[in-house]
Amino acid sequence: MLCLAMTLLLLAGASPQAHAAGQEVVLGMSAAFTGPSRGLGIELYRGAMAYFRHVNDTGGLYGRPITIRPMDDGYNPGPAILNTIQLIGQDDVLALFNYVGTPTVTRVLPLLKKFEDRHILLLFPFTGAEPQRQPPYDAYVFNLRASYLQETSALVARLVALGRTRIAVFYQVDAYGRSGWNGVQRALSTYGLTIAAEATYRRGASFADSMAEQVRIIAKAKPDAVVSVGSYEACAAFVRDAREAGLDVPIANISFVGSQNMLNLLRASCESGKAGYCAGHIITQVVPSYEDASLPTVAEYRELMARYADTPLPEAARQEGPAYEPLPCCFTSFEGFLNAKTLVEALRAFGRLPRREELAQALESFTAGDVGLGVPVSFGPTRHQGFDAVYFTTLSQGAVVPIRDWTEWGK
Amino acid sequence: MKLSALHARMLTVTIVLFGVVATLSAVLTMDILRRHLTDEYVSKGTAIAESIAAQAAELILTRDPATIQAAMDQYLQLEGVAFVYVVDDTGRLVSHTFFPEPPAEMLGQPGDPQRVRVAHMETQGTGGHIHIVAPILAGAAGYVHVGMDKAIIARHLWSAGLKHVGLMLVVFMVCSVVLYILVNRISRPLTELTGYAARLAAKDFDTPMEITAGGEVGALAWTMRFMAGEISGLVDGLTREVDRSTSDLKETLGRLRAIIGNMADGLLVLGEDGRITLANPALGQMYGLDPAALGGQEAEPCFGPVVADLANQAMESPGRAVEAEVPLAGSRTAKATATAIVDQAAWGAPEVRGAVILLRDVTREKEIDAIKTDFITTVSHELRTPLTSVLGFAKLIRRKLGQEVFPRLTDNGDSTMKAVRQVNTNLHIIAAEGQRLKCLIDDVLDISKMESGRVEWQMAPLSLAEAAAAAAAATRPLWRKKGLEFSTGVSEDLPTVLGDRDRILQVLVNLISNAVKFTPSGSVRLAAEMDRNRVLVRVEDSGIGIAAEYQERIFEKFRQAGDTLTEKPKGTGLGLAICKQIVEHHGGRIWVRSAPGAGSTFYFTLPIYANGTPETACDGPA
């Protein structure tokens, strides 16, 4: 059945279709719109769609509307692969865009090589994992965000600088968690240190699950800090159980966690007197804080998010209950927004709408782009990652705010 | 619903059979499945381990554990894979799938650089796992460890086992239903047949039976119906036959009853216990009793001790008629003959069922006999006196003639001497015949005296040896004259008997004379010996013998063997009758055994004299 469907799609894709004027520019997006990580997929989609709708409302891209074709993979590799095959087979899809998650993206990568002759590119996946930044797949992928290695490296450097050398790792036992773990390990080894303790959880754990066992394992080693590499529900559960167990060292998360989503889970407890739940968080970000009004893009993002708050959720997300409450603003949707803006700016810089096979060339020629982040976004033939900055944020008074002063974080 | 015995048995057998088959096959299936699954898991785990090892070689060297993890994650989704981990050449964990942390007991499995190692680990609570270690670059880059969960094998086994048992149950139910229907098909006609057979047993041959079943049961039903018809016919025939026989029997019985009722002689039948079972009217008349009221009563109070004794004797010696004279009412006498009723069974010894006694009123005959005896006695007595005179004078004449007359006759011619010789001869004949006649008369008188009890018996202890010697001496002239051998065989230590010596001597002499008389040549022997508690005396000869038909008769008066009309009598014919009278008076018996041409042996018994009183005589052998 599946094979038949694939064959039909491939046959359909084989007939060349000219990009006629007025026809939509479509980007294929396979992401988690259901399950415990659905907040990431949905917010990423909403952020990107806010910008695309703005573009469409202001004359479109070279006069053509641009949109996203969302498909749900529930953060699982299997559906991600099927979705990808389907999307590649559809000729009107310009590129794959805004994929979410390490385990899904790393499994999709071989497909890009397989369908090399179709010149399909994966643009700005929401993951900092290494495989798509390393040969042989780096050729087919353009990243915007910094890698996990960069995030963890910056994080470890910061913690060591604060005198917190006994660093424990709590991570999701899959490729994503492993890449975070690997990043911490590598960063520590440059200081001659090793991981003080490690505990894992299975992908798919929710906030309701107990992380007491993992807390016990880590607390035993008496760490100075914990680096948490996981999804926001599990990480929030870990924070909750760690604070309950009296483990009050800083708990650091990396960008993938979805700070706002995690904050939302913990906020109820914070407000009901369990202040500890919301204290001691360090979250690295690969985009600036959406609270930083000094950046022009932030203003544009907030305005467009407010204007296009009515963007309908993808089909799969609408069907799954309980209904998802969209966030007005968050790092994830901001990243989605930036992804969309970077793509549009790059294509505009190219001077015309590229065909599939011209897309890599178009992006690679976007060497010093300004998307309003204060620093340039730069791609090149040997540089498929546009942005290297890592930002530190924390939870404070119900919001994710940048950390400007580290004096309180010392050991 | 109550199950029939057939159903219950079939059900039990089915359940037991299915239970055994289901259990055995489930165990077998589970065992096969367990081996297969284990093998499968080992090969699966090996394949995974080798596959990861192949991918990981380069990744370990480029220090990319996330990609190794991606590969591992992919396999972790396969069923049965419990964990995967990769260690580098220093034994450091590069990647693993454990949560919340790698358990210490699952690490530390050593690897073999040459080949894939498989170990079966039993861990508490988890059901254990199969631990497979594959080398990466011959162990130079590290090892891949794959754990296959044995608990899943167990789950599969149970699920397969349960499904198997479930299937067996379904098959069992279907089979039970089919069996039930089949058994019902057999059982229902059988039940009907049983009912039919019960009706036949109650002799109801008329109620018809509908035959619905086919096959063996149907054949049985047909056979039963046919058999019922046959039996019905047979029973009808038998009933008719029995009716006819019964009426025949009744008729015969009636005739017999009429015969018995009209018999002139009295008939008495006694049972084994001596009680009366039948008495005819004639008998009732003899005793002045009502024959109908006699049934079941003891014989002795009704008919006296003689009849009772007679019946007992008859029953003790079956096959022989026992006779006795029995006093009747009104000073009459009957002669009773008793015989045992012998039931000659088809096998085994004949059994005595009682006795039949026939009584004939002989009062008249006895009277005539007495008159006859009196007459003979009187006649004899009247003859004896003149005969004595005749004999005495004849002898006197012969002596006188011989002494006085004949010597004086001169021999003057043949005629005188001839006349003298003739007179002499005639006188001898007169004396001899007179003597014989006298003997006869003496004997007749003797026997009449004995019969009328007028003899005086000189009873005294007596030695038989002495009596035998005396008898031998007395008879010597007789056997000497005929040249016969004579011998006696009487042991000296024989006990004494009580008897009249002269009379016993008379018996012995009589028997020896008889023997000599009928033995032309050969020997005569007199012997006596103890026989139980009596003395048995016998006189044997090698003479002409006696024909069977005369053996009883010769002890009667005036009876001799042979035809008395055509043959010349050789004695008075009273000798043996007198012997009989004497022996019987002594409480003994006398009898003979003989065959023509083979000699004769006469026996008689005498009771032993002990403590001065003679013992009651026992009957001798028949």
Side-chain angles (χ1 to χ4, degrees):
Chain A
M1 191 63 198
L2 192 65
C3 293
L4 185 67
M6 277 169 59
T7 314
L8 285 173
L9 288 168
L10 291 174
L11 284 172
S15 58
Q17 259 181 322
H19 291 290
Q23 198 180 349
E24 277 189 328
V25 175
V26 181
L27 300 168
M29 176 179 178
S30 176
F33 295 119
T34 58
S37 295
R38 63 175 175 167
L40 298 178
I42 292 170
E43 292 304 336
L44 204 63
Y45 174 79
R46 287 181 73 244
M49 280 306 289
Y51 189 75
F52 286 146
R53 285 180 73 184
H54 164 68
V55 169
N56 295 343
D57 288 351
T58 53
L61 186 64
Y62 303 113
R64 292 166 60 175
I66 183 164
T67 189
I68 294 171
R69 184 167 298 155
M71 296 184 89
D72 178 47
D73 58 33
Y75 196 35
N76 288 313
I81 292 168
L82 290 178
N83 290 345
T84 305
I85 291 168
Q86 201 175 337
L87 289 169
I88 293 172
Q90 292 166 359
D91 261 356
D92 60 340
V93 174
L94 178 65
L96 305 177
F97 180 74
N98 266 5
Y99 272 44
V100 173
T102 305
T104 45
V105 169
T106 48
R107 293 292 304 283
V108 162
L109 292 177
L111 286 173
L112 303 176
K113 193 171 172 61
K114 157 76 186 163
F115 294 109
E116 205 172 17
D117 55 334
R118 291 180 172 264
H119 309 287
I120 197 80
L121 292 184
L122 174 59
L123 303 184
F124 317 142
F126 187 75
T127 164
E130 284 304 299
Q132 75 270 25
R133 289 175 170 82
Q134 302 290 345
Y137 301 120
D138 58 341
Y140 313 106
V141 183
F142 283 81
N143 298 285
L144 184 63
R145 54 168 27 237
S147 72
Y148 293 140
L149 278 176
Q150 288 172 309
E151 282 191 65
T152 49
S153 170
L155 186 59
V156 168
R158 174 57 65 188
L159 289 171
V160 169
L162 290 168
R164 296 183 180 274
T165 52
R166 292 186 60 76
I167 296 172
V169 184
F170 167 73
Y171 62 103
Q172 180 166 296
V173 63
D174 66 358
Y176 160 54
R178 185 63 60 196
S179 62
W181 170 87
N182 187 38
V184 173
Q185 194 186 46
R186 279 205 207 180
L188 281 173
S189 67
T190 61
Y191 301 98
L193 298 171
T194 55
I195 292 172
E198 59 176 90
T200 56
Y201 77 91
R202 288 196 104 163
R203 183 167 70 226
S206 73
F207 184 58
D209 294 330
S210 170
M211 293 295 164
E213 187 59 23
Q214 285 84 346
V215 170
R216 190 189 59 75
I217 292 163
I218 284 173
K220 210 164 57 184
K222 301 197 176 4
D224 296 330
V226 180
V227 175
S228 175
V229 188
S231 66
Y232 63 86
E233 293 227 9
C235 290
F238 178 75
V239 169
R240 176 197 65 206
D241 291 341
R243 297 305 183 227
E244 282 295 317
L247 185 66
D248 57 358
V249 297
I251 296 174
N253 275 281
I254 57 174
S255 59
F256 183 81
V257 77
S259 330
Q260 197 66 44
N261 295 106
M262 190 167 80
L263 177 62
N264 286 351
L265 287 175
L266 295 172
R267 184 153 40 202
S269 301
C270 293
E271 284 165 4
S272 65
K274 304 218 172 182
Y277 284 16
C278 296
H281 285 280
I282 299 173
I283 304 163
T284 60
Q285 306 290 354
V286 290
V287 291
S289 170
Y290 55 89
E291 303 283 354
D292 191 347
S294 64
L295 296 171
T297 306
V298 171
E300 187 189 15
Y301 158 71
R302 297 181 81 98
E303 190 208 326
L304 291 181
M305 279 304 281
R307 190 190 301 166
Y308 297 111
D310 62 343
T311 303
L313 300 186
E315 182 76 13
R318 285 202 302 272
Q319 284 170 356
E320 196 200 40
Y324 179 78
E325 255 335 297
L327 303 171
C329 291
C330 67
F331 281 94
T332 315
S333 59
F334 187 39
E335 187 172 340
F337 177 86
L338 287 175
N339 287 347
K341 187 168 182 183
T342 303
L343 178 62
V344 170
E345 291 302 327
L347 296 180
R348 281 188 174 149
F350 191 61
R352 61 180 170 85
L353 188 65
R355 296 193 303 276
R356 268 189 183 181
E357 57 269 33
E358 294 168 333
L359 187 58
Q361 190 193 339
L363 285 167
E364 279 169 2
S365 59
F366 193 60
T367 50
D370 181 10
V371 291
L373 288 174
V375 284
V377 171
S378 88
F379 292 103
T382 56
R383 182 181 159 82
H384 278 195
Q385 183 178 308
F387 206 59
D388 296 318
V390 175
Y391 304 85
F392 293 95
T393 58
T394 187
L395 303 181
S396 177
Q397 289 157 4
V400 183
V401 296
I403 302 176
R404 298 181 199 283
D405 181 9
W406 288 97
T407 51
E408 287 171 28
W409 295 90
K411 189 178 175 185
Chain B
M1 183 184 67
K2 194 181 175 299
L3 285 177
S4 74
L6 200 56
H7 277 131
R9 212 169 308 146
M10 290 298 263
L11 200 65
T12 313
V13 169
T14 313
I15 288 172
V16 169
L17 226 63
F18 263 95
V20 170
V21 170
T23 312
L24 284 179
S25 71
V27 167
L28 187 68
T29 307
M30 282 172 77
D31 188 54
I32 291 171
L33 198 62
R34 189 183 56 74
R35 286 158 195 267
H36 278 235
L37 276 177
T38 308
D39 289 353
E40 192 64 31
Y41 272 36
V42 167
S43 54
K44 194 176 182 179
T46 307
I48 291 170
E50 283 179 332
S51 160
I52 293 173
Q55 292 180 50
E58 201 178 334
L59 295 168
I60 281 196
L61 299 178
T62 58
R63 300 175 68 207
D64 185 2
T67 309
I68 298 175
Q69 185 84 34
M72 281 164 31
D73 284 355
Q74 196 180 332
Y75 290 117
L76 196 62
Q77 286 160 11
L78 295 181
E79 189 205 40
V81 182
F83 62 81
V84 183
Y85 67 87
V86 174
V87 292
D88 65 13
D89 52 335
T90 63
R92 202 172 56 90
L93 263 178
V94 174
S95 261
H96 69 82
T97 61
F98 294 111
F99 70 95
E101 65 175 334
E105 72 268 19
M106 300 229 185
L107 309 177
Q109 272 289 323
D112 185 335
Q114 304 295 327
R115 57 186 185 87
V116 176
R117 263 180 59 108
V118 176
H120 291 266
M121 314 292 290
E122 301 301 327
T123 37
Q124 208 64 35
T126 56
H129 66 273
I130 304 164
H131 199 122
I132 295 148
V133 190
I136 306 170
L137 292 179
Y143 291 93
V144 178
H145 294 248
V146 175
M148 303 300 290
D149 193 357
K150 275 189 168 178
I152 292 181
I153 296 181
R155 267 206 302 283
H156 275 301
L157 285 187
W158 280 113
S159 138
L162 285 177
K163 275 178 194 161
H164 193 95
V165 170
L167 181 68
M168 277 299 190
L169 270 178
V170 170
V171 173
F172 166 65
M173 302 239 188
V174 170
C175 278
S176 293
V177 169
V178 169
L179 263 180
Y180 181 83
I181 293 166
L182 280 180
V183 171
N184 214 13
R185 274 188 163 175
I186 299 167
S187 162
R188 196 169 39 77
L190 276 182
T191 312
E192 282 173 10
L193 273 183
T194 309
Y196 183 63
R199 289 204 301 277
L200 290 188
K203 296 181 193 66
D204 174 8
F205 299 107
D206 303 329
T207 314
M209 179 188 57
E210 201 175 325
I211 295 169
T212 50
E216 290 93 333
V217 178
L220 179 63
W222 280 107
T223 312
M224 272 185 79
R225 198 148 82 173
F226 177 71
M227 189 185 77
E230 288 289 295
I231 290 174
S232 174
L234 211 62
V235 166
D236 286 351
L238 276 178
T239 310
R240 275 198 304 277
E241 198 62 34
V242 166
D243 286 350
R244 210 176 58 217
S245 301
T246 309
S247 70
D248 283 0
L249 213 61
K250 273 182 187 160
E251 200 184 310
T252 311
L253 216 61
R255 210 161 53 219
L256 276 178
R257 206 171 280 141
I259 290 167
I260 290 169
N262 292 301
M263 268 168 75
D265 291 350
L267 179 71
L268 176 66
V269 180
L270 299 179
E272 287 164 272
D273 53 354
R275 289 180 183 275
I276 299 161
T277 54
L278 181 73
N280 71 347
L283 187 72
Q285 235 165 24
M286 285 175 181
Y287 283 90
L289 295 168
D290 176 14
L294 289 171
Q297 293 196 37
E298 291 277 356
E300 189 169 336
C302 303
F303 303 111
V306 185
V307 172
D309 283 353
L310 200 65
N312 288 336
Q313 283 175 33
M315 282 193 271
E316 277 164 21
S317 50
R320 196 165 68 86
V322 187
E323 291 183 353
E325 281 188 2
V326 180
L328 296 180
S331 61
R332 298 173 71 84
T333 306
K335 190 180 175 194
T337 309
T339 46
I341 304 170
V342 180
D343 190 0
Q344 186 65 52
W347 59 87
E351 275 184 62
V352 175
R353 294 285 182 210
V356 185
I357 303 162
L358 206 60
L359 291 100
R360 170 179 288 256
D361 193 336
V362 291
T363 315
R364 184 86 186 123
E365 283 91 325
K366 293 270 293 182
E367 279 170 6
I368 291 166
D369 207 30
I371 291 166
K372 194 177 74 190
T373 307
D374 282 352
F375 171 70
I376 290 168
T377 309
T378 310
V379 168
S380 300
H381 205 76
E382 290 304 316
L383 284 173
R384 200 172 184 253
T385 315
L387 183 60
T388 309
S389 304
V390 170
L391 194 57
F393 284 115
K395 281 179 180 172
L396 193 64
I397 290 166
R398 194 182 62 187
R399 199 171 61 238
K400 289 288 177 197
L401 279 176
Q403 288 171 354
E404 308 291 335
V405 181
F406 291 144
R408 291 167 193 204
L409 287 176
T410 51
D411 193 357
N412 52 1
D414 285 343
S415 61
T416 310
M417 291 317 289
K418 193 180 176 188
V420 168
R421 279 198 305 271
Q422 200 148 22
V423 168
N424 217 3
T425 306
N426 289 350
L427 278 174
H428 266 289
I429 290 170
I430 290 167
E433 287 299 304
Q435 188 61 40
R436 205 175 69 88
L437 192 59
K438 184 172 171 280
C439 281
L440 176 64
I441 289 166
D442 282 347
D443 280 356
V444 169
L445 285 175
D446 216 15
I447 203 162
S448 344
K449 250 195 273 179
M450 277 181 215
E451 278 180 353
S452 58
R454 282 186 307 236
V455 174
E456 278 181 27
W457 298 87
Q458 308 293 323
M459 301 301 274
L462 161 70
S463 164
L464 266 174
E466 187 270 324
T475 53
R476 184 173 296 121
L478 293 176
W479 42 268
R480 278 266 173 87
K481 201 167 85 190
K482 286 192 82 170
L484 296 174
E485 271 179 46
F486 181 83
S487 60
T488 53
V490 181
S491 51
E492 290 294 333
D493 56 350
L494 266 184
T496 52
V497 295
L498 186 70
D500 185 325
R501 185 181 176 277
D502 293 344
R503 291 295 181 183
I504 295 298
L505 202 57
Q506 186 185 351
V507 172
L508 290 176
V509 170
N510 224 327
L511 290 177
I512 294 168
S513 324
N514 259 350
V516 171
K517 204 185 289 171
F518 293 103
T519 305
S521 68
S523 64
V524 173
R525 180 178 167 78
L526 168 64
E529 64 197 35
M530 275 301 289
D531 176 41
R532 286 183 282 179
N533 52 351
R534 61 194 179 179
V535 175
L536 177 66
V537 184
R538 66 175 187 278
V539 178
E540 309 175 57
D541 64 57
S542 55
I544 57 171
I546 305 160
E549 66 257 40
Y550 299 119
Q551 285 181 13
E552 280 288 319
R553 261 200 252 159
I554 54 174
F555 292 102
E556 290 170 21
K557 287 175 277 187
F558 308 108
R559 290 279 196 183
Q560 282 186 322
D563 195 339
T564 42
L565 290 176
T566 56
E567 289 171 32
K568 183 176 175 284
K570 291 172 179 164
T572 57
L574 283 171
L576 284 173
I578 290 167
C579 287
K580 189 172 189 252
Q581 285 284 341
I582 292 168
V583 169
E584 283 181 358
H585 181 83
H586 280 80
R589 273 191 63 218
I590 185 164
W591 70 96
V592 66
R593 278 196 184 152
S594 179
S600 310
T601 304
F602 282 82
Y603 300 87
F604 70 93
T605 61
L606 287 173
I608 295 165
Y609 172 71
N611 294 332
T613 50
E615 291 208 351
T616 318
C618 279
D619 290 310

